[in-house]
């Protein structure tokens, strides 16, 4: 287990950095297109926490294995969605939420999770195909 821990943390940290950078750039471009020229530190920290939860979910997708792969992904997603909703609920004590806050985070987080789940599946199929060619 110990020998597998360090590479998992390194891969998760790299994935976190990539997703956070892409999400931040996309959000900032979207804000500039809407005429908003500044982003709040609070909003950036919230994005960082939600992406951290997403990366933990991706790691769960990779490490949490049941006999049914879709069931493993659904359970990981359900656990992480509960964590995201709990985080959004806690943030409501610091800053009032907009009327569509839960719906918005649900849609964005679900779409991101589906996209990353598909990417992981494609990556695993390519890896299996390469292994079958070399064997």
């Amino acid at each position: 287990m110990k020998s597998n821990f360090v590479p998992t943390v390194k891969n998760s940290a790299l994935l976190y950095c990539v997703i956070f950078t892409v999400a931040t750039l996309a959000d900032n471009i979207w804000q500039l297109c809407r005429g908003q020229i500044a982003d709040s530190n609070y909003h950036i920290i919230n994005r960082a926490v939600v992406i951290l939860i997403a990366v933990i979910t991706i790691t769960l997708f990779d490490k949490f294995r049941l006999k049914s792969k879709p069931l493993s992904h659904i359970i990981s997603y359900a656990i992480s969605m509960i964590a995201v909703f709990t985080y959004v609920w806690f943030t409501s004590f610091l800053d009032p939420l907009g009327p569509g806050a839960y719906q918005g985070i649900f849609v964005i987080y679900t779409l991101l999770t589906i996209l990353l789940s598909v990417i992981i599946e494609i990556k695993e199929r390519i890896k299996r195909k390469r292994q079958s060619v070399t064997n």
Side-chain angles (χ1 to χ4, degrees):
M1 176 71 181
K2 186 177 180 182
S3 64
N4 194 17
F5 179 75
V6 173
T8 299
V9 171
K10 285 182 180 179
N11 290 338
S12 296
L14 177 63
L15 184 61
Y16 175 83
C17 291
V18 169
I19 294 172
F20 182 77
T21 301
V22 170
T24 300
L25 288 172
D27 189 46
N28 288 345
I29 290 168
W30 176 249
Q31 288 177 16
L32 288 172
C33 289
R34 292 188 341 232
Q36 182 180 349
I37 59 171
D39 198 359
S40 71
N41 292 332
Y42 181 71
H43 185 249
I44 293 170
I45 291 170
N46 284 336
R47 180 184 310 124
V49 172
V50 170
I51 291 173
L52 178 64
I53 295 170
V55 168
I56 292 169
T57 301
I58 294 164
T59 303
L60 282 174
F61 282 175
D62 192 38
K63 302 298 177 192
F64 180 66
R65 303 290 179 159
L66 295 174
K67 289 184 180 180
S68 168
K69 192 173 196 175
L71 185 59
S72 297
H73 283 229
I74 290 169
I75 290 172
S76 298
Y77 167 76
I79 292 167
S80 66
M81 185 54 75
I82 291 168
V84 168
F85 280 154
T86 303
Y87 178 73
V88 170
W89 179 73
F90 276 120
T91 62
S92 70
F93 295 117
L94 301 173
D95 191 30
L97 298 176
Y102 287 103
Q103 180 182 6
I105 194 69
F106 174 78
V107 169
I108 290 169
Y109 193 81
T110 300
L111 291 175
L112 177 64
T113 303
I114 290 169
L115 175 67
L116 293 173
S117 183
V118 168
I119 290 170
I120 289 168
E121 182 62 30
I122 291 170
K123 179 182 152 190
E124 287 180 2
R125 286 184 185 196
I126 291 170
K127 186 177 178 180
R128 282 193 303 263
K129 188 176 180 180
R130 286 182 182 164
Q131 286 176 348
S132 67
V133 170
T134 59
N135 292 335

